Amino acid sequence: MEQSEILRILQSYSLGELSSLDELSPGFVNRIFRLETNQGVFLFRIIMEQALRDLHDEIELLNSLKSINFPTAYPISKIDGEFISNASMGMVVIYDFIHGEHPVVAEPQAMEIGTAVGKLSTSRPSSDFQRRNSINMDACVMLSSALVDAPHQLPDIFDYFIEQTQYLENRIGLGLPEGLIHADIFPDNTIFQGEKLQAIIDFEEACWDELLFDLAMTINGFCFPMNELSYPILDSLILGYSQKRKLSPEEWLALPIYIQWTAHGMLSWHLQRLSQVPNARQERRVRELMNRVSTLRNHEKDLVEYLKLRSI
């Protein structure tokens, strides 16, 4: 982004004069920068794919979370009271800058993040917030059908994906409790100072779905160091979650499948793009998730028994 464009955007805020802009995270759909002015430090986010309506919903949701003091980075309004600016690379929103770093994956951090996810699961956004989860079984089934004509053919991945989708298709959507979920809680979307959580960020995938989806996705984010499930970290995360919200017997029973499902759902997000355009980084991620889900499926009964003991 040209400096003149950055200066134009800054002029619509009361944040002072530009000192520096340094990229922190070149993501797949966002670019995140550390913005420093003579009045302080802020987070400068370029949104490259999200729809305008969804971005409006995200900002409204974040502002509603202030009422429960949820740990996140809140958007900063412009002089005119609006939050979104248009730029050549996409839309721009500026947020509070939360000092800290992405965490190591360990038991204390898992306890912290579990507690925060449990708190989010008990929040009550406005009744008209009904955005559907972009990761859903209908989309996986549609992708399975479309892979035969995909421009970038990866037969072993495609065969795996189609079979695993069929395996999961009738084992989710069980009528479990629903509510607001973040849907993408990974270390890169959290900020810690040492063992203390400072913020969960990037609510662009927030939606209304089964609450167990959020817990299972967070387990995928925090409980797989070296792509292997760590049971001590898993115990800590679930214990933290249970301090804010207790799982029902049905949720305990379904959790092993939902850990598989959320990993498979992540894979579908990457595969939809990878099947169109080769991308070495995304292919590595897809194969990592394939290995994870295959291992989880092979040891599914063991995990069911393990969690059954924890639920008593």
Side-chain angles (χ1 to χ4, degrees):
M1 181 180 290
E2 297 291 335
Q3 185 170 6
S4 59
E5 192 170 28
I6 299 167
L7 294 173
R8 174 184 63 78
I9 292 170
L10 263 183
Q11 286 174 356
S12 61
Y13 290 85
S14 297
L15 299 178
E17 298 179 1
L18 176 67
S19 299
S20 63
L21 187 73
D22 300 306
E23 188 157 17
L24 299 176
S25 176
F28 289 107
V29 296
N30 290 297
R31 295 182 67 180
I32 306 298
F33 297 80
R34 179 185 185 275
L35 168 69
E36 185 169 357
T37 75
N38 61 348
Q39 292 188 15
V41 179
F42 309 93
L43 188 143
F44 187 98
R45 173 186 169 205
I46 303 174
I47 302 101
M48 297 180 288
E49 286 192 13
Q50 191 174 11
L52 178 60
R53 178 66 262 171
D54 289 342
L55 183 56
H56 277 296
D57 288 346
E58 177 190 337
I59 291 169
E60 183 177 349
L61 173 61
L62 283 171
N63 287 328
S64 75
L65 290 177
K66 288 182 179 180
S67 64
I68 63 169
N69 295 316
F70 190 79
T72 189
Y74 291 102
I76 297 170
S77 64
K78 300 190 289 184
I79 295 169
D80 62 5
E82 298 295 322
F83 292 88
I84 302 169
S85 301
N86 292 314
S88 58
M89 295 179 63
M91 296 175 287
V92 171
V93 179
I94 298 179
Y95 300 80
D96 299 328
F97 188 89
I98 308 299
H99 293 275
E101 58 281 321
H102 299 317
V104 297
V105 177
E107 294 168 47
Q109 290 80 3
M111 177 81 76
E112 282 277 301
I113 204 68
T115 302
V117 177
K119 183 175 184 178
L120 184 64
S121 292
T122 62
S123 66
R124 294 291 177 266
S126 62
S127 58
D128 61 349
F129 184 81
Q130 293 291 323
R131 181 171 181 258
R132 189 184 187 196
N133 196 339
S134 62
I135 294 177
N136 59 79
M137 185 53 69
D138 289 344
C140 288
V141 172
M142 290 178 61
L143 178 57
S144 295
S145 298
L147 291 176
V148 65
D149 296 319
H152 183 214
Q153 287 290 311
L154 296 159
D156 64 319
I157 295 177
F158 291 1
D159 290 346
Y160 156 82
F161 181 79
I162 292 167
E163 194 278 332
Q164 183 67 20
T165 296
Q166 293 170 346
Y167 178 75
L168 293 171
E169 189 172 1
N170 296 317
R171 305 187 73 190
I172 64 167
L174 305 175
L176 300 175
E178 296 184 351
L180 170 66
I181 69 169
H182 179 285
D184 194 28
I185 299 178
F186 279 72
D188 285 355
N189 284 340
T190 64
I191 299 172
F192 279 74
Q193 288 186 2
E195 297 178 354
K196 183 67 177 176
L197 175 68
Q198 301 300 307
I200 295 175
I201 58 174
D202 287 356
F203 272 75
E204 67 189 87
E205 298 296 333
C207 56
W208 193 268
D209 201 349
E210 291 172 322
L211 296 172
L212 194 62
F213 184 100
D214 227 15
L215 176 59
M217 185 66 85
T218 307
I219 289 169
N220 268 291
F222 279 79
C223 300
F224 284 84
M226 306 301 292
N227 208 33
E228 294 185 5
L229 178 60
S230 166
Y231 286 90
I233 297 176
L234 174 66
D235 287 345
S236 294
L237 196 151
I238 293 177
L239 179 60
Y241 185 91
S242 299
Q243 291 176 357
K244 296 296 181 179
R245 178 180 177 269
K246 303 296 183 184
L247 294 175
S248 69
E250 294 78 12
E251 288 175 308
W252 276 109
L253 187 61
L255 183 55
I257 285 296
Y258 275 66
I259 297 172
Q260 278 188 55
W261 160 228
T262 48
H264 186 72
M266 282 189 288
L267 189 156
S268 73
W269 187 92
H270 288 285
L271 185 58
Q272 193 279 328
R273 291 156 174 78
L274 180 62
S275 65
Q276 300 301 308
V277 180
N279 182 310
R281 179 184 172 200
Q282 283 194 312
E283 183 171 343
R284 284 194 300 272
R285 182 58 170 157
V286 164
R287 293 191 181 279
E288 178 183 61
L289 291 167
M290 281 176 57
N291 291 334
R292 178 182 303 185
V293 177
S294 296
T295 301
L296 285 167
R297 181 169 165 178
N298 289 337
H299 296 279
E300 185 179 312
K301 291 181 180 179
D302 296 335
L303 186 54
V304 168
E305 291 301 317
Y306 183 86
L307 292 173
K308 186 182 295 184
L309 294 174
R310 297 303 183 273
S311 67
I312 297 173

